[in-house]
Amino acid sequence: MRLVLPRLYVILDAALLTTASKECAESLADAGVRLLQYRDKTASSRKLFEVSCALSDILVRRGVTFFVNDRADVATLAGASGVHVGQEDIGVEQARRVVGRDGLVGISTHNRKQFEEALNTSADYIAVGPVFATSSKANPDAVVGTEFLRQVRPLTAKPIVAIGGITLERASEVMEAGADSVAVISDILRAKKPGVRAQEYLKLLGTANPVEQD
């Protein structure tokens, strides 16, 4: 069965949170967000585990699909839905051994070669980006643009998640280029009221027209 992801994928980046991660996650879940990832590149393993457990307790029981960034072990121990790995993390199959067949694994790709390699793994979804210039990473990869989404869309039936510099004004364009879901970080986390901003995305994406596949 093909995995169907919610159209909005909010990434809770600890470096950008202006409120406690738990408080922000609750407000986003209350707003209707059903796909969240927690990312903290600087936390100790213990802190990452503790925060991930707290978020998992809040989100999973409410029907929110919850991913932990990078750490398959933490994701599994915390009871998260799955793990998202990057090009510098353990591979998809290694992560799969940890989360098991019932856990979800997503992977980031930044060019055609990486995307095609991801197709030959058990990844449940493939993230592509940065689609636009982004400030949420210290050393971002080269911008791929929406044209890249159009190029890779026919290659797979797996969900494609677009990430990088996505704003409310650009979200429809990204969906129309072939993304199943848009991952948003700064435009929601830096909003005065993240939950309200998320609702604006949900309203917009509910009327977006993603590319249909044969």
Side-chain angles (χ1 to χ4, degrees):
M1 181 182 295
R2 182 180 185 271
L3 174 67
V4 176
L5 291 177
R7 291 182 175 184
L8 177 61
Y9 188 159
V10 180
I11 297 179
L12 294 174
D13 190 322
L16 297 179
L17 289 173
T18 57
T19 60
S21 56
K22 182 178 178 180
E23 180 182 337
C24 187
E26 287 179 326
S27 70
L28 291 171
D30 288 343
V33 175
R34 289 296 174 265
L35 180 57
L36 283 162
Q37 178 192 138
Y38 182 64
R39 182 170 81 183
D40 191 337
K41 296 290 188 179
T42 62
S44 65
S45 295
R46 183 170 188 168
K47 181 181 178 183
L48 180 63
F49 171 66
E50 290 173 349
V51 175
S52 297
C53 283
L55 293 176
S56 183
D57 287 344
I58 294 168
L59 300 171
V60 175
R61 63 183 171 80
R62 296 179 65 167
V64 178
T65 300
F66 172 55
F67 286 89
V68 173
N69 184 261
D70 295 349
R71 297 287 297 273
D73 55 342
V74 172
T76 301
L77 291 170
S81 309
V83 63
H84 181 90
V85 297
Q87 291 295 315
E88 303 302 320
D89 302 319
I90 64 171
V92 170
E93 304 315 327
Q94 288 72 39
R96 175 70 63 199
R97 289 184 200 137
V98 179
V99 302
R101 294 176 62 183
D102 294 330
L104 298 173
V105 180
I107 182 171
S108 293
T109 64
H110 312 293
N111 54 51
R112 180 74 175 240
K113 180 175 182 291
Q114 292 174 0
F115 189 91
E116 291 179 347
E117 288 174 348
L119 295 179
N120 296 317
T121 71
S122 65
D124 295 288
Y125 72 84
I126 304 173
V128 170
V131 178
F132 305 107
T134 177
S135 60
S136 64
K137 278 195 172 183
N139 298 294
D141 291 273
V143 170
V144 300
T146 54
E147 182 56 34
F148 183 72
L149 285 169
R150 293 188 178 90
Q151 292 172 8
V152 299
R153 176 70 279 175
L155 302 181
T156 184
K158 291 183 178 182
I160 294 177
V161 175
I163 186 172
I166 295 174
T167 62
L168 191 65
E169 294 72 24
R170 292 166 164 171
S172 291
E173 174 189 355
V174 173
M175 294 294 289
E176 289 165 4
D180 294 275
S181 181
V182 294
V184 184
I185 308 173
S186 300
D187 196 48
I188 287 180
L189 298 189
R190 287 178 173 160
K192 189 173 182 179
K193 295 183 178 180
V196 173
R197 188 62 164 172
Q199 287 180 327
E200 293 177 328
Y201 273 91
L202 293 170
K203 181 178 179 181
L204 175 73
L205 295 173
T207 59
N209 296 307
V211 173
E212 294 185 2
Q213 301 166 56
D214 296 328

